[in-house]
Amino acid sequence: MPEPEYPAELTVEPWTGAPPKASVRVPGSKSLTNRALIVAALAHGRSRLTGALDSDDTRVMVDALKALGLAVEHDREAAVITIEGCGGRFPVEKADLFVGNSGTTLRFLTAALAVGKGTYRIDGVPRMRQRPVSDLLQALNGLGSNARSELGTGCPPVVIEADGLDGGYAFVRGDVSSQFLSGLLMALPCSKAETIVEVEGTLVSQPYVAMTLDLMRAFGAEPSNRKNRRFVVHPTLYKGREYRIEPDASAASYFFALAAITGGEITIEDLDEASLQGDLDFVDVLEHMGCTVRREAGRTTVVGGPLRAVDVDMNAISDTVMTLAVVALFADGITRIRNVGHIRHKETDRIAALAAELRKLGASVDEHPDGLMIVPPAQITPARVATYDDHRMAMSFALAGLKIPGVTILDPGCVAKTYPGFWDDLKAVRS
């Protein structure tokens, strides 16, 4: 499969003609792919992951697992990854691993490496050195690990001197990133004894933890969850298996939003209410804004309509905040997005970035510590939109260009982090 070529900037052509009516197949879920890769790596035996995402984030995970001595075959054309698990102990006992700007790879690998034996270092791009990991390191060290921030910043580079995890009690803050908890939970079946994990504070992005638990169970573990406050994990040997990766619900949000702002009808195939991904609930928000949503077996459809503003707590679906912020430009009234302060610690400070770029388009934006208040302009103005090396900024603000001329996306190639074919799929909807 040839690698996409991206220009330095891309001016989006406004939608002309009748509203779109299309069926779209988005690539596999990044969140599920990277979770499945970690669990399959720790399992005993071979796993075959179908529908797997091929993107920058999943490639750095695959490359790291190969560097750790695992046999991993990635058929990108067929979207299949085959991996021979290590049974909880990586063959290579010393490695320097590069994870790019992939927070899931950083946090999941940090925990997984701690259950084995060896010395490992994990680093990434400059932005990665600003992404917190100290809460996970503290939890691992409480279970018998020796893991530290090399520079003493609480961020990468991370060094793990691994000799297994003892089990016992661990405490994890829940208000910065659910990835700390997910990474820890996936590793704990390989610990020496039962582990009880207590969450301190309110757990953000709870659907992602539910996804983690479902995937662990699919590979043979039996974690318990008490109201997202206490988790109990028993030592268990994961068993390799065939596992289907769902289409990415976060990626689907851009096409659902396209239907909303153009008055069109977009169907996402192979994504329905049985999904493990909380981000599919984005369609509920669009429904409150005036869209019609059809939920059928094997597909979900959004039909656009006159849009009205919403006041919404998006903590559980925070990866779709940026999509909604752009939809808010075309809604009647003031939209408020609440309880998403943790997205300041993502690829960029997403609240600040959104406020800056929405203002370029003419919106009035009040930035709060945990969210935004967006007043749409009477007339949206053309702008050159900075993307901050953040894939979701590029894909979200592309939607604005469908409605007004002169919206230029800078560094459109940053979509390769999770959705390399986004621009081609967007173009296909127009044809």
Side-chain angles (χ1 to χ4, degrees):
M1 182 183 298
E3 299 291 332
E5 294 185 4
Y6 305 104
E9 58 185 55
L10 189 153
T11 300
V12 182
E13 295 182 13
W15 193 273
T16 56
K21 183 175 183 179
S23 177
V24 179
R25 292 183 181 275
V26 297
S29 163
K30 179 204 75 171
S31 299
L32 278 171
T33 300
N34 268 358
R35 282 167 171 79
L37 281 168
I38 282 290
V39 172
L42 294 173
H44 177 73
R46 174 177 292 190
S47 293
R48 185 172 182 267
L49 311 178
T50 63
L53 174 66
D54 177 29
S55 72
D56 287 351
D57 273 18
T58 55
R59 288 182 185 181
V60 294
M61 178 69 89
V62 167
D63 289 346
L65 295 177
K66 288 180 177 178
L68 291 167
L70 274 65
V72 185
E73 297 178 7
H74 190 179
D75 186 335
R76 295 174 179 172
E77 191 71 35
V80 173
I81 300 176
T82 304
I83 180 169
E84 292 286 349
C86 66
R89 185 161 172 173
F90 293 99
V92 171
E93 295 189 358
K94 186 173 184 179
D96 199 333
L97 306 170
F98 178 79
V99 298
N101 197 17
S102 175
T104 56
T105 305
L106 164 70
R107 289 151 182 168
F108 297 171
L109 266 181
T110 296
L113 288 168
V115 305
K117 185 176 181 64
T119 301
Y120 308 99
R121 182 178 182 271
I122 305 175
D123 199 4
V125 299
R127 170 61 182 171
M128 183 59 74
R129 293 192 170 194
Q130 300 173 349
R131 300 189 70 176
V133 74
S134 59
D135 294 313
L136 176 58
L137 301 180
Q138 184 176 354
L140 291 170
N141 291 340
L143 296 171
S145 182
N146 181 4
R148 67 184 186 275
S149 165
E150 186 177 71
L151 302 177
T153 60
C155 301
V158 169
V159 176
I160 306 106
E161 295 178 6
D163 192 19
L165 294 179
D166 297 331
Y169 284 86
F171 300 89
V172 178
R173 277 183 60 186
D175 59 347
V176 176
S177 173
S178 65
Q179 291 173 9
F180 301 151
L181 178 59
S182 285
L184 184 61
L185 289 172
M186 286 187 289
L188 287 178
C190 301
S191 64
K192 299 168 187 174
E194 175 187 281
T195 307
I196 297 173
V197 183
E198 299 275 0
V199 176
E200 297 178 320
T202 302
L203 179 62
V204 299
S205 303
Q206 293 180 12
Y208 284 93
V209 176
M211 177 196 302
T212 298
L213 296 174
D214 281 334
L215 191 138
M216 291 171 64
R217 293 179 183 119
F219 281 78
E222 296 181 358
S224 67
N225 176 11
R226 182 174 174 80
K227 299 180 179 179
N228 287 313
R229 302 291 302 176
R230 169 179 283 201
F231 299 82
V232 181
V233 184
H234 303 279
T236 310
L237 186 62
Y238 286 126
K239 296 178 178 62
R241 56 160 293 176
E242 180 156 329
Y243 186 84
R244 173 186 169 270
I245 306 294
E246 299 175 5
D248 194 299
S250 305
S253 75
Y254 309 114
F255 294 96
F256 290 141
L258 185 156
I261 67 175
T262 62
E265 178 177 328
I266 300 292
T267 297
I268 302 296
E269 300 290 349
D270 297 325
L271 194 63
D272 61 22
E273 288 189 297
S275 172
L276 299 179
Q277 300 169 81
D279 279 354
L280 185 57
D281 290 345
F282 179 72
V283 299
D284 297 342
V285 180
L286 294 180
E287 198 167 39
H288 285 296
M289 297 183 81
C291 296
T292 299
V293 179
R294 294 202 301 268
R295 302 168 177 85
E296 305 169 273
R299 55 172 46 193
T300 302
T301 301
V302 170
V303 182
L307 297 173
R308 54 182 176 270
V310 287
D311 184 333
V312 58
D313 181 333
M314 296 191 74
N315 185 280
I317 56 171
S318 58
D319 275 350
T320 64
V321 165
M322 304 162 99
T323 322
L324 182 65
V326 173
V327 173
L329 292 171
F330 307 100
D332 182 19
I334 301 171
T335 291
R336 184 179 180 190
I337 297 170
R338 296 180 284 107
N339 200 19
V340 292
H342 60 286
I343 71 173
R344 291 188 182 275
H345 306 290
K346 295 286 189 175
E347 284 80 349
T348 186
D349 179 339
R350 286 180 167 169
I351 292 175
L354 274 172
E357 303 311 308
L358 289 169
R359 288 173 185 140
K360 286 183 183 178
L361 295 171
S364 297
V365 183
D366 288 340
E367 180 183 339
H368 302 285
D370 74 334
L372 299 159
M373 188 174 292
I374 303 165
V375 182
Q379 183 173 352
I380 297 175
T381 57
R384 293 167 58 80
V385 177
T387 52
Y388 306 81
D389 197 24
D390 189 331
H391 54 132
R392 301 204 187 282
M393 286 292 291
M395 293 185 279
S396 297
F397 278 88
L399 302 172
L402 296 176
K403 289 286 286 185
I404 57 169
V407 173
T408 298
I409 306 298
L410 305 182
D411 186 23
C414 67
V415 301
K417 185 175 194 296
T418 57
Y419 196 164
F422 172 76
W423 300 111
D424 289 338
D425 287 355
L426 186 64
K427 182 178 180 180
V429 171
R430 311 178 70 110
S431 59

